[in-house]
Amino acid sequence: AVSPTFACLFILYIGFCFFALMNVITGTYVETVSRQATDLKTRSQILQARRVFQAIDTDHSGFISLEEIRSQTTTAVVLDFFESVDVDPSEAQYLLEVLDMDGSGTINFDEFLHGTLRLNSSARAADLLLVAREMKRFFKHAISELQLLKHHLGIA
């Protein structure tokens, strides 16, 4: 014979274990679905970036210039892109400067893709990218000036 107190405690223990197991299963499911949703969003952004890049690259050179961006600012695909990154189409030159990481005056698809993914990360990411680019340019200039100073002082 089993004591009614132990029977109640055993039932409570089994119930607690059941709910704990269900919590673990639910947490795993939610985490997996969340990861898949993030991956799907990233893939969607990559496909959108490819469509926009191809729409802007009218000469099919594999590079986008400021003139190409300006000439395509009235098309629906490009307007949607500007809206998605929270940039006014009149600021196309600033967008080109932000995305042009090598300073060539043109953007290849890799620069466009990386910049677009970063711009989609937050509403004011464009400003942060511009600051980062300016800092990079400043440090390159400062290094070249320091090298010149070392040369003139005969240190190098």
Side-chain angles (χ1 to χ4, degrees):
V2 177
S3 166
T5 305
F6 285 123
C8 287
L9 286 175
F10 184 71
I11 291 172
L12 285 173
Y13 174 74
I14 295 297
F16 176 77
C17 289
F18 175 75
F19 284 122
L21 179 63
M22 292 306 293
N23 190 23
V24 169
I25 291 171
T26 302
T28 303
Y29 174 75
V30 169
E31 181 182 341
T32 302
V33 169
S34 175
R35 193 174 327 126
Q36 288 176 351
T38 302
D39 291 345
L40 184 61
K41 181 180 177 186
T42 303
R43 287 180 188 155
S44 174
Q45 288 173 341
I46 291 170
L47 290 174
Q48 180 191 16
R50 184 174 304 279
R51 280 194 304 270
V52 171
F53 186 86
Q54 290 172 345
I56 296 174
D57 186 21
T58 54
D59 62 358
H60 304 292
S61 63
F63 293 93
I64 295 175
S65 65
L66 180 58
E67 293 77 28
E68 287 176 316
I69 290 176
R70 285 185 178 156
S71 70
Q72 297 295 317
T73 55
T74 57
T75 61
V77 173
V78 177
L79 287 174
D80 288 343
F81 167 71
F82 278 120
E83 185 178 320
S84 73
V85 295
D86 196 25
V87 174
D88 190 75
S90 64
E91 298 176 339
Q93 179 176 355
Y94 301 119
L95 181 66
L96 179 75
E97 289 178 6
V98 167
L99 297 179
D100 183 19
M101 296 308 280
D102 63 0
S104 65
T106 59
I107 305 168
N108 64 23
F109 181 70
D110 286 337
E111 289 174 320
F112 185 77
L113 177 63
H114 292 294
T116 301
L117 292 176
R118 282 189 276 171
L119 285 172
N120 282 328
S121 65
S122 68
R124 292 286 104 208
D127 296 332
L128 293 175
L129 286 175
L130 186 57
V131 168
R133 185 176 183 280
E134 290 301 316
M135 290 299 294
K136 183 178 178 183
R137 187 184 307 175
F138 170 77
F139 283 124
K140 283 183 180 180
H141 179 70
I143 288 172
S144 67
E145 290 295 321
L146 286 173
Q147 293 295 340
L148 183 64
L149 185 61
K150 280 184 177 179
H151 177 71
H152 285 299
L153 293 175
I155 296 172

